[in-house]
Every structure is written in C-alpha cells, then in structure tokens.
Amino acid sequence: RMLWKTPGFTLIAVSALALGIGANTAIFTVVNAVLLKPLPYPHSDRIVFVHRVFREGHSDSSSVPKFTAWKAGATLLEDMAAYDFTGPGLNLAGGDRPEQIKGIHVSKDYFPLFGASVVLGRTFLPEEDRPGGPKVAVLSNGVWRSRFGSDPKIVGRAIQLSGDEYTIVGVLAPDFVADPPSDVWLPLQPDPASTNQAHYLSVAARLKPGVALSQVNAQMKVVAAQFRKEHPKTMGDTESLEAIPLQQQMTGNVRPALLILTGAVCFVLLIACANVANLLLARAAGRQRELAIRAAIGAARGRIVRQLLTESVLLSLF
C-alpha cells in the first residue's frame, strides 16, 4: 500500500533496478554460453588446439608434413586430427537440381576426437585415410534429411561431388556440432612423405588421462625443435608449438570484449542500486513524521526496520 501511494517513486526505482538487472542477465547469458558452458564434445576439457607460435604472435594453421610430425612426436596426446579450417564448396549433383554444399577434409581421428556418433553406417576406416584410398563421404544429418529424404538405405550409395564420385559410408547424428560447419566430410588422406608446406589445416587433439597441459607444451617444444632440425628451411628460428584449450581457441577473439562488457554492466547495476538507495534515503527523510508516530504508538525499532526491508524487497521482486 505504501508503494502504491507513491507510484512515481515506485516506477522510477523499479525501472532503475530493471535496467541494471536486465543488462547483467543478458550479458551473463552470453558469457555463460560462450565462455563458461562446456563445449558439446565428450571430455571437452581435455581437447586442445595445436598452433604455431612466433615471437610476433601465433598462427592457427599447419601443413601436412608438420601435422605428420606433430602426430608422431606428441605422445602425450591422443586422437590428434587435422581438418580444413574453411572447407571447399562442393557441387552436389543428382536429383532435379544441383546444390552447393560445404565439405571438409578430415583425418580419421576427427570423429573420435569430437565424439561424433552416426545414425547410419560408420565413419572413416584407417585405410580410407591413406594416400590413394577410396573416395568415401560422411553426410551431415541435415543434408541427409533435406537432400536425400532421410533415406534409410543411403549407405553404400554413390554421389557426385564436383564431378567426382564418392561412396556414402555414414550419416552423423543430428546433435553433432561441427566447427567449422559442414554438410559432408571427406577423408584427408595425408601423405607422410609429402613436402607440401601449404598451411591450410587446423590441428586438434585430446590430452591423455592424467596429463597436464604444461607437460604437453614442454613436449611440443621438443617436437618443434626436432622438426626445425630436420627441416631448417620450412620452420623459422623463432617458431615453436603450443597447445591451448579448444574453448580458448574458439573464444579467443571475443573473450576480452565479453569480460570488459561484463565489468561494465556490473558497474551499471551498482549505479542503479546506488540511485535506488538515494531515492529510499530521500523518501525516508520525508517519512520522519510517519515513522515517529509508529514509534510513539508502540512500534519497536525492529518492526520499523522490517517494514522498510519489506518495501525494499518488494521493489527488487518487481
């Protein structure tokens, strides 16, 4: 009833608190989804991204020879996989119209690393990820449904991708989240004897159980030094290797901005609380006569405090 008798005060106080709480809730929702919530992969806290580091910064790309060396030398990591970080556009022929879809070349450990399960068929076999191996493909659940009508007999069927024939060996489950997004996955088939130093691959792996990230990075420095010794023309004197948590890699560009924004909205909430506190103090000064009468007719100090706290709690609840 006291708040209803002063609608102007109530509206201003509730609006100030709503702005402060609303801004914090909105930003925390983003921070929770981007920075705090685990990635949608099994043991995501153990998945790391391997990148090259220089004195000037770092690079997220690797070549086939470097990936081969990293995989052979990094014994503290498991399921190390290489994959395109952009992926080619592919023309899917057949049916009544061709369609442009996105494809990614991945090594055989890509699917175990990211916990990709299938609803039909399987993922790549080791012999399919070797140079000259068969042309096979794994479809995303979305393409399987939209393009092939959820055909339960799709496994073993041949499709045309940019003029080449591939055999479908599996369809992934709908809950698999790929980064980067893809419609079809093709085997990378890296050549261990390759000398092609084109850097077009991303490399990720999983820490073995009980292994610390610092241990892995110490080993990666040794692996990088060994590769530099064997290939001095393809790795600079200041170039090395580092493994970082995959979540840090995926949020590296937005993390500082989100943390700054979180601090800013916290200050907004503090300012809103300070403004409401000033309003309450000013209102209390105008209620001195009322509070004196309450005390004169027997209201104890605790009862008056409870009265004021009740009004404050109601404001916060509104």
Side-chain angles (χ1 to χ4, degrees):
R1 289 197 302 269
M2 294 301 301
L3 295 177
W4 184 256
K5 289 180 178 180
T6 54
F9 162 81
T10 303
L11 181 61
I12 293 173
V14 169
S15 299
L17 289 174
L19 287 174
I21 295 173
N24 274 269
T25 303
I27 297 303
F28 178 77
T29 302
V30 177
V31 170
N32 181 58
V34 176
L35 301 182
L36 304 180
K37 188 177 180 181
L39 297 175
Y41 308 123
H43 308 291
S44 61
D45 57 320
R46 289 167 45 206
I47 300 179
V48 296
F49 187 89
V50 180
H51 64 195
R52 299 176 295 133
V53 293
F54 309 87
R55 187 176 299 157
E56 302 82 8
H58 67 271
S59 173
D60 297 336
S61 61
S62 293
S63 62
V64 169
K66 290 181 178 178
F67 164 65
T68 303
W70 309 161
K71 188 175 179 64
T75 57
L76 297 179
L77 296 174
E78 60 186 8
D79 293 334
M80 183 177 288
Y83 51 97
D84 297 330
F85 51 75
T86 52
L90 300 171
N91 290 319
L92 175 60
D96 56 349
R97 56 182 174 81
E99 182 179 350
Q100 182 83 4
I101 63 174
K102 186 173 182 180
I104 293 181
H105 291 91
V106 302
S107 63
K108 64 179 179 61
D109 291 316
Y110 174 88
F111 299 108
L113 173 64
F114 294 109
S117 58
V118 295
V119 293
L120 291 176
R122 56 171 175 81
T123 55
F124 300 143
L125 300 175
E127 56 268 23
E128 294 170 341
D129 192 36
R130 294 170 183 164
K135 292 186 176 182
V136 293
V138 172
L139 298 180
S140 70
N141 199 272
V143 165
W144 173 57
R145 292 178 179 276
S146 63
R147 181 70 181 185
F148 299 99
S150 302
D151 183 3
K153 299 180 180 179
I154 192 71
V155 174
R157 177 175 167 182
I159 58 172
Q160 292 285 331
L161 295 174
S162 297
D164 294 325
E165 186 174 285
Y166 289 82
T167 301
I168 299 173
V169 296
V171 178
L172 295 187
D175 58 350
F176 178 63
V177 180
D179 182 44
S182 181
D183 300 311
V184 61
W185 288 265
L186 309 176
L188 180 63
Q189 299 178 341
D191 185 356
S194 173
T195 58
N196 181 9
Q197 290 296 335
H199 293 81
Y200 64 94
L201 297 174
S202 296
V203 178
R206 181 183 288 108
L207 300 175
K208 287 186 175 180
V211 174
L213 186 60
S214 58
Q215 294 176 276
V216 171
N217 281 327
Q219 185 181 65
M220 297 303 278
K221 287 180 171 59
V222 175
V223 172
Q226 182 64 30
F227 186 87
R228 185 188 303 107
K229 182 179 179 180
E230 297 174 357
H231 308 277
K233 294 183 179 180
T234 59
M235 193 166 187
D237 293 337
T238 63
E239 183 178 351
S240 187
L241 280 180
E242 184 182 40
I244 62 173
L246 182 62
Q247 188 164 40
Q248 179 181 334
Q249 165 66 22
M250 297 175 66
T251 62
N253 295 331
V254 300
R255 184 183 183 89
L258 284 178
L259 293 178
I260 292 173
L261 197 56
T262 301
V265 296
C266 286
F267 276 112
V268 170
L269 180 59
L270 288 175
I271 292 171
C273 291
N275 288 337
V276 173
N278 287 330
L279 286 173
L280 289 171
L281 289 173
R283 184 165 176 264
R287 297 174 63 186
Q288 288 182 355
R289 179 182 176 85
E290 171 206 336
L291 298 178
I293 294 175
R294 290 179 181 271
I297 60 177
R301 182 171 298 181
R303 178 64 183 83
I304 296 175
V305 170
R306 288 199 302 273
Q307 165 83 17
L308 299 177
L309 283 177
T310 300
E311 295 176 13
S312 299
V313 169
L314 278 176
L315 287 174
S316 301
L317 290 176
F318 291 153

